[in-house]
Amino acid sequence: MNKTDFNMDGIEDSSNTISPSVDDIVACQFSNWYETFRTLPKDRFPRKTVTIKSIVIPLPQAFLDYLKTDGVTLPIEATNVSSLTAEGDDNSEWSDEDNDNEDAKEFSFPTLTEEIRAGIETLGGEVMPKLNWSSPKDAVWMNNGKLKCQTPGDVYVLLKSSDFIMHDLLHVFDNSIGEKLDVSYELVLRQWCNLYPSMEFRCFVWGKELIAISQRKHTEQFPHLVTEKMIIRSEIIDFFDEFIQKNSQGMKNYTFDIYIDRKERPWLLDFNVWGTQTDGLLFTWEELSEMVREPAELHVPSNTLLTNENPQIRVVETENEVRHDPLASYRAPIDTVDLASMTASDASKFEDFMKLCSKPSQEND
């Protein structure tokens, strides 16, 4: 990365970098925390699990090399993609045939493709993919605007089209403190859940204490959050005290994302590092840094509605507070979206258009 960096939510960051350690980054990768929170000891916790069922698949080096190649050429055994399937048609396939390039390289990962197919079936037929740290949410425009995948081809399209995935592969230790480590890369398939975006929150922890909570989808205003935010705050503090703080595996400074369901049960979605690599959402990192410089009483009895200042909770309370969507710059050009909708019944037309867009422009002599 250059001096102007992008954090894992797509925000351009030209401020002074708050750098995590290499150990912090490694601790936040999915396989380092998943099992701890997926299967909880019955004699210590009131719930058997607090995170979504997932499958972790080790990735071979040949596949990592494939992800780094240019273009979106799918493995020959995984060309069936949902984004090109018209209603009532289960046979639409992604085709990269190019008559002008008969020597185009073909890729094939039959073992991995079968593992992905089996994983999707085990998890109920729909999954959300990610690598060790990042999900390809910047590439959802290639997959009907969603991270939901139903075929190995869907997974490959998202991974292959994502800058965030490339960040995991090439830049994950940029601006970190300590000696860089070799990474064993993994594909994570998470069971697909229809989550209400208004009930996702990011929590900020410093010195093992919860200091701030932010509405996750800060690009919209949800009226119910304004009236319920202190109740939500109380639920999050209880969850942190009961599950997160006791199982943070030595991490002192970090962030974590949670979802609160209709039964008011929080679910752990992810861990992220404490630093400008992570989007502060409704907080700036200058504000968060200032909070940790000023000692404050962070804990009060958790069975009451909390009114003390820390941890602070912020939600979008008016339309004027709605923030710009950091992923907007990753969306497809509007003419591409229009073409995709007009050619839904003929996948080949859209594929031809995408191939034309991918070719370098040539000036006439």
Side-chain angles (χ1 to χ4, degrees), residues 194-335:
N194 290 311
L195 306 181
Y196 294 101
S198 66
M199 298 307 291
E200 293 185 51
F201 300 90
R202 175 159 292 171
C203 307
F204 301 85
V205 176
W206 175 268
K208 296 187 176 182
E209 299 291 350
L210 181 62
I211 67 166
I213 302 165
S214 173
Q215 174 183 331
R216 183 73 180 82
K217 190 173 180 59
H218 60 344
T219 59
E220 291 186 40
Q221 193 254 343
F222 301 99
H224 72 93
L225 292 183
V226 179
T227 57
E228 298 174 6
K229 69 177 184 178
M230 295 309 292
I231 297 174
I232 291 170
R233 176 174 176 266
S234 179
E235 293 169 348
I236 292 174
I237 289 178
D238 285 350
F239 182 73
F240 175 73
D241 288 345
E242 185 91 51
F243 299 102
I244 303 298
Q245 191 179 47
K246 295 176 181 179
N247 290 287
S248 56
Q249 302 178 19
M251 289 192 295
K252 294 182 179 180
N253 311 319
Y254 56 92
T255 73
F256 64 95
D257 294 341
I258 67 168
Y259 176 76
I260 301 178
D261 67 16
R262 291 180 177 180
K263 297 180 180 180
E264 300 182 349
R265 296 177 305 178
W267 293 85
L268 175 63
L269 300 179
D270 208 356
F271 279 98
N272 294 288
V273 296
W274 172 279
T276 47
Q277 293 93 326
T278 301
D279 187 0
L281 299 173
L282 294 174
F283 294 89
T284 67
W285 276 102
E286 288 77 9
E287 290 176 313
L288 292 166
S289 298
E290 190 63 30
M291 289 179 192
V292 304
R293 295 191 186 102
E294 298 176 359
E297 183 177 350
L298 298 177
H299 280 287
V300 297
S302 59
N303 59 352
T304 62
L305 290 181
L306 304 174
T307 57
N308 61 313
E309 182 179 358
N310 290 313
Q312 293 186 33
I313 183 169
R314 291 184 184 176
V315 301
V316 177
E317 301 201 13
T318 68
E319 289 292 339
N320 291 335
E321 295 176 3
V322 170
R323 304 294 178 89
H324 171 72
D325 186 352
L327 297 177
S329 61
Y330 293 96
R331 291 173 181 163
I334 189 65
D335 53 351

Side-chain angles (χ1 to χ4, degrees), residues 54-74:
S54 305
I55 291 174
V56 178
I57 302 172
L59 293 175
Q61 183 60 47
F63 182 75
L64 301 178
D65 294 338
Y66 155 76
L67 289 179
K68 297 172 187 176
T69 61
D70 293 334
V72 187
T73 301
L74 298 188

Side-chain angles (χ1 to χ4, degrees), residues 82-84 127-129 136-149 154 157-158 192 194 197 217 325 327 330-332 337 340 350:
S82 301
S83 57
L84 296 180
V127 301
M128 188 276 288
K137 55 189 172 182
D138 58 316
V140 296
W141 68 276
M142 294 286 286
N143 191 51
N144 291 326
K146 296 182 178 181
L147 284 168
K148 180 170 69 175
C149 295
D154 295 345
V157 165
L158 284 173
W192 178 259
N194 290 311
K217 190 173 180 59
D325 186 352
L327 297 177
Y330 293 96
R331 291 173 181 163
V337 176
F350 182 62

Side-chain angles (χ1 to χ4, degrees), residues 119-137:
I120 293 173
E121 182 178 350
T122 298
L123 295 173
E126 297 174 340
V127 301
M128 188 276 288
K130 62 177 294 179
L131 291 195
N132 303 41
W133 294 274
S134 305
S135 67
K137 55 189 172 182

Side-chain angles (χ1 to χ4, degrees), residues 136-174:
K137 55 189 172 182
D138 58 316
V140 296
W141 68 276
M142 294 286 286
N143 191 51
N144 291 326
K146 296 182 178 181
L147 284 168
K148 180 170 69 175
C149 295
Q150 297 171 297
T151 70
D154 295 345
V155 174
Y156 291 142
V157 165
L158 284 173
L159 297 181
K160 200 71 176 67
S161 306
S162 172
D163 288 345
F164 290 4
I165 295 302
M166 290 304 295
H167 178 278
D168 270 19
L169 297 177
L170 302 176
H171 301 291
V172 71
F173 293 122
D174 283 6

